[in-house]
């Protein structure tokens, strides 16, 4: 009988939709790319709290404030599930934070844009959470078990976030001329960065080939981006806003919307740390880490004391 290599057995499991679990053999590159993607995803959730947190004290009424607080807390929770999933692969949480704080690990480009008005909070829910779900639904079926299981709950919460964002924009769309203008301005600023969230084009994506083979990713960056555009155009119509792309039009032959050329220079500039808020975001995270040192220390002492008591 032919002997199978560990790599062949691993690939067969992936091909047969059997989840890979933490203690099983996996190629080093699979482990590495999962740590990279999951930790960057976790960092995105945590940094993603900053632009929204900025509006908690200024939400227009109590209901909106409660919803926003709950949403920001959800994002913290998503970060924690994801850090835990990454830890199962043999990296510590401190190492992941270190990578974020030193700029070695990326986080989503989208969170380097400012939230200038209340409408930006709705636009984040509608467009940013909308793009996030479009990308993340496939991750519920990703080949690595702990990541897939974390994503099930995250997607449920993200889809609620998307709907609350849309509902809050719908309220603005029925409001005064000023409110409608604020809504349009937010959509004008968030549309292109949301399209960019899906990452570079398939031709430029360095990780996709391996990630698709290993079923970490199941759909390409460009396919997901197209699905997002197709789904969003009708929603914009209902809101009564225009999308800031003169080339956006239905293509009967393709059965999809065509859209304009993405400004990839802007995307890479933001990814490399030169976006409007990169420095501000990183300073806020490093400050929170430094100022939280006493909490971590106190928690460790408390845990040690409890352990001693139990023993
Ligand atoms: N920003 O080869 P690919 C959220 C990097 S969570 C920055 O195509 P891959 C929730 C990429 O890392 C949003 N960098 O990479 C929320 C790679 O560099 P590396 C985050 C980006 O991994 C909502 C290089 O470019 N979601 O929004 C970006 O196969 C509201 C080449 O790219 C996830 O992380 C970008 N946009 O595909 C929170 C989902 N795109 O690492 C608060 C999980 C690409 O080799 C409020 N991640 N790069 O140095 C993924 O699905 C994938 O990692 C992609 C990128 C699709 C993001």
């Amino acid at each position: 009988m032919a002997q199978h290599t560990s790599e062949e057995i691993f690939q067969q499991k992936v091909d047969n939709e059997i989840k890979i679990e933490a203690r099983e053999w996996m190629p080093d590159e699979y482990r590495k790319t999962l740590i990279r993607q999951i930790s960057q995803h976790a960092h995105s959730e945590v940094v993603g709290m900053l632009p929204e947190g900025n509006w908690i004290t200024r939400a227009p009424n109590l209901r909106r404030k409660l919803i926003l607080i709950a949403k920001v807390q959800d994002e913290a929770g998503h970060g924690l599930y994801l850090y835990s999933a990454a830890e199962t692969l043999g990296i510590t949480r401190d190492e992941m934070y270190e990578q974020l704080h030193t700029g070695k690990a990326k986080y989503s480009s989208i969170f380097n844009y400012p939230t200038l008005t209340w409408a930006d909070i709705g636009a984040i829910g509608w467009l940013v959470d909308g793009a996030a779900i479009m990308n993340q639904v496939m991750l519920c079926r990703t080949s690595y078990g702990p990541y897939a299981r974390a994503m099930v709950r995250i997607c449920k919460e993200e889809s609620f976030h998307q709907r609350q964002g849309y509902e809050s924009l719908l309220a603005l769309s029925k409001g005064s001329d000023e409110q409608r203008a604020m809504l349009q301005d937010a959509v004008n600023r968030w549309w292109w960065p949301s399209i960019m969230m899906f990452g570079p084009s398939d031709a430029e994506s360095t990780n996709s080939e391996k990630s698709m083979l290993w079923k970490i990713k199941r759909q390409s960056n460009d396919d997901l981006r197209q699905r997002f555009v197709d789904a969003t155009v009708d929603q914009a119509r209902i809101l009564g806003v225009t999308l800031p792309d003169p080339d956006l039009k239905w293509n009967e032959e393709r059965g999809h919307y065509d859209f304009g050329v993405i400004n990839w220079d802007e995307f890479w500039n933001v990814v490399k740390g030169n976006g409007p808020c990169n420095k501000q975001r990183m300073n806020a995270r490093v400050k929170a880490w430094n100022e939280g040192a006493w909490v971590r220390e106190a928690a460790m002492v408390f845990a040690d004391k409890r352990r001693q008591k139990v023993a």
Side-chain angles (χ1 to χ4, degrees), residues 176-220:
S176 63
D177 287 349
E178 283 87 349
Q179 284 171 317
R180 277 195 294 275
M182 183 168 72
L183 159 60
Q184 182 63 61
D185 170 62
V187 172
N188 290 347
R189 285 181 290 104
W190 287 92
W191 175 251
W192 285 107
S194 301
I195 301 282
M196 292 174 193
M197 267 178 83
F198 294 92
S201 70
D202 293 350
E204 301 294 322
S205 166
T206 42
N207 300 293
S208 280
E209 195 187 340
K210 272 289 168 69
S211 289
M212 299 281 267
L213 172 71
W214 289 328
K215 296 190 182 171
I216 294 172
K217 282 163 73 162
R218 286 171 176 263
Q219 280 170 292
S220 78

Side-chain angles (χ1 to χ4, degrees), residues 36-37 40-41 44-45 48 52 71 75 106-109 111 124 128-129 132 135-136 139 147 158 196-200 205-208 217 221 267-268 271:
R36 176 189 63 80
Q37 179 170 321
Q40 294 187 165
H41 191 169
S44 304
E45 300 281 355
E52 292 183 301
K71 181 181 191 299
E75 309 301 359
K106 297 185 169 72
Y107 59 90
S108 184
S109 49
F111 302 115
I124 289 182
V128 176
D129 283 283
N135 164 264
Q136 291 174 20
L139 296 175
Y147 191 22
E158 298 288 27
M196 292 174 193
M197 267 178 83
F198 294 92
S205 166
T206 42
N207 300 293
S208 280
K217 282 163 73 162
N221 299 0
F267 172 74
W268 289 116
V271 172

Side-chain angles (χ1 to χ4, degrees), residues 24-181:
E24 292 173 24
W25 187 91
M26 58 185 82
D28 279 350
E29 277 300 309
Y30 177 81
R31 186 185 297 278
K32 252 172 75 183
T33 204
L34 273 174
I35 290 176
R36 176 189 63 80
Q37 179 170 321
I38 302 172
S39 66
Q40 294 187 165
H41 191 169
H43 298 326
S44 304
E45 300 281 355
V46 169
V47 177
M49 290 192 286
L50 295 169
E52 292 183 301
N54 184 32
W55 275 88
I56 290 175
T57 53
R58 292 177 286 164
N61 58 46
L62 181 61
R63 177 170 169 267
R64 295 287 177 205
K65 192 193 285 272
L66 287 172
I67 294 171
L68 185 56
I69 290 172
K71 181 181 191 299
V72 172
Q73 280 179 337
D74 284 352
E75 309 301 359
H78 299 172
L80 297 183
Y81 315 147
L82 290 166
Y83 283 127
S84 299
E87 280 175 313
T88 65
L89 291 155
I91 186 166
T92 67
R93 207 169 288 208
D94 283 3
E95 284 170 324
M96 287 185 270
Y97 286 138
E98 163 85 12
Q99 290 177 354
L100 174 67
H101 297 159
T102 56
K104 195 171 160 222
K106 297 185 169 72
Y107 59 90
S108 184
S109 49
I110 193 77
F111 302 115
N112 293 305
Y113 290 86
T115 39
L116 303 179
T117 70
W118 171 250
D120 289 19
I121 299 304
I124 289 182
W126 175 39
L127 297 174
V128 176
D129 283 283
I133 301 164
M134 195 55 88
N135 164 264
Q136 291 174 20
V137 164
M138 69 164 176
L139 296 175
C140 297
R141 294 189 301 119
T142 194
S143 56
Y144 186 57
Y147 191 22
R149 291 188 286 274
M151 287 315 302
V152 172
R153 179 158 173 187
I154 292 176
C155 281
K156 283 186 184 156
E157 293 176 352
E158 298 288 27
S159 84
F160 169 76
H161 293 172
Q162 194 266 354
R163 275 174 269 173
Q164 70 76 35
Y166 192 72
E167 190 267 339
S168 111
L169 295 184
L170 210 50
L172 290 179
S173 77
K174 293 175 184 152
S176 63
D177 287 349
E178 283 87 349
Q179 284 171 317
R180 277 195 294 275

Side-chain angles (χ1 to χ4, degrees), residues 230-282:
D230 290 347
T232 314
V233 173
D234 281 344
Q235 296 168 3
R237 207 169 287 138
I238 293 167
L239 283 178
V241 290
T242 55
L243 296 170
D245 179 357
D247 296 323
L248 187 68
K249 56 176 176 302
W250 179 251
N251 182 326
E252 194 63 47
E253 239 167 71
R254 291 201 313 122
H256 291 291
Y257 280 93
D258 289 335
F259 54 93
V261 180
I262 293 170
N263 183 345
W264 291 116
D265 287 345
E266 174 182 330
F267 172 74
W268 289 116
N269 198 39
V270 174
V271 172
K272 285 182 187 141
N274 304 316
C277 298
N278 293 62
K279 288 185 184 63
Q280 192 182 326
R281 302 290 182 240
M282 232 1 73

